[in-house]
Amino acid sequence: MLIVVIVLACVSFYMVYKLTKEKRAQAQAQPSAPVDPFADKDADVLRGDPRALKAGDIVDIFGQSYTVRGTLRLKEGGYQWAEHLLDTGNDVQHWLSVEEDPDLELVLWTETAGLPAPGPAELEHEGKRFRLEETGNARFASEATTGLAASGMLTYHDYVADDGTKLSFEEFGDAGRKEGTLGQVLNRSAVMIYPQQPS
């Protein structure tokens, strides 16, 4: 009887060993999912992920701290991006746009008076020539405080200068609100994010 128990134990051990070995071989044979070789996950871990910004988060840009007061989530066809209203608390406000096309692009926008009317293929402002980059219509959804309705449509005209400076015009349909802004493209290292802790 003891011999039968030992034989059964050996057979069981061998079967478990064989199954484990086969599973390891299958796992090694399956290729891993493709990964973007230029994706910088370390920057998101160390500096915060701009794609996850929300109201209440703190954003530090060039040593100036801002609080995210609200966000516009925009969609045009299958393309999506976000614009976050930043506020120092001392009457200084900017918008930070976050989009991937396909690389992450961060632009700090400042509302600017005296801009020429949008539409032409080229515009000039303060001696700088801007060429029309794109124009279109997008649907937006507003979160927290943005000064806009909960949802709606906007028309936009985006221009760019040779040095990378951007110029954008947005007209919010139902609100009749128009904004002209100058945009500075930010290097990822210029932005540090301190997410709001869940309550």
Side-chain angles (χ1 to χ4, degrees):
M1 184 71 172
L2 182 61
I3 294 173
V4 172
V5 171
I6 292 172
V7 169
L8 286 174
C10 290
V11 169
S12 298
F13 176 76
Y14 174 74
M15 293 300 288
V16 169
Y17 170 76
K18 188 175 177 183
L19 286 171
T20 304
K21 190 174 178 181
E22 285 177 6
K23 284 184 180 179
R24 282 189 192 150
Q26 287 175 354
Q28 290 174 350
Q30 291 177 351
S32 59
V35 177
D36 180 357
F38 296 109
D40 188 358
K41 296 298 181 190
D42 291 339
D44 292 341
V45 170
L46 295 173
R47 308 191 70 79
D49 186 354
R51 290 164 291 251
L53 271 175
K54 63 189 180 309
D57 288 349
I58 305 298
V59 181
D60 188 285
I61 302 172
F62 300 128
Q64 174 66 63
S65 292
Y66 302 90
T67 301
V68 178
R69 294 194 63 190
T71 297
L72 294 179
R73 306 280 178 196
L74 300 117
K75 183 183 285 190
E76 183 178 17
Y79 186 64
Q80 301 180 55
W81 70 101
E83 296 178 0
H84 306 280
L85 177 59
L86 306 182
D87 197 322
T88 62
N90 294 313
D91 295 327
V92 177
Q93 294 183 341
H94 295 281
W95 287 90
L96 176 68
S97 64
V98 179
E99 56 185 296
E100 289 183 284
D101 188 26
D103 296 322
L104 179 66
E105 182 181 67
L106 306 173
V107 182
L108 186 65
W109 299 94
T110 304
E111 193 166 350
T112 306
L115 295 172
E122 286 194 345
L123 293 177
E124 190 170 319
H125 177 68
E126 295 186 348
K128 193 175 290 190
R129 188 162 293 280
F130 294 84
R131 69 181 183 284
L132 184 63
E133 190 173 36
E134 60 182 326
T135 184
N137 298 290
R139 178 164 292 285
F140 71 85
S142 179
E143 300 172 359
T145 301
T146 62
L148 293 162
S151 63
M153 293 291 297
L154 70 84
T155 300
Y156 66 88
H157 295 81
D158 289 343
Y159 291 80
V160 64
D162 288 338
D163 66 357
T165 304
K166 295 188 176 270
L167 183 58
S168 182
F169 299 91
E170 293 179 335
E171 182 173 354
F172 296 86
D174 295 341
R177 177 169 151 186
K178 298 180 181 180
E179 287 183 357
T181 54
L182 282 170
Q184 177 184 4
V185 178
L186 301 175
N187 188 291
R188 179 69 188 83
S189 63
V191 180
M192 180 70 84
I193 297 165
Y194 303 95
Q196 176 190 37
Q197 298 300 315
S199 53

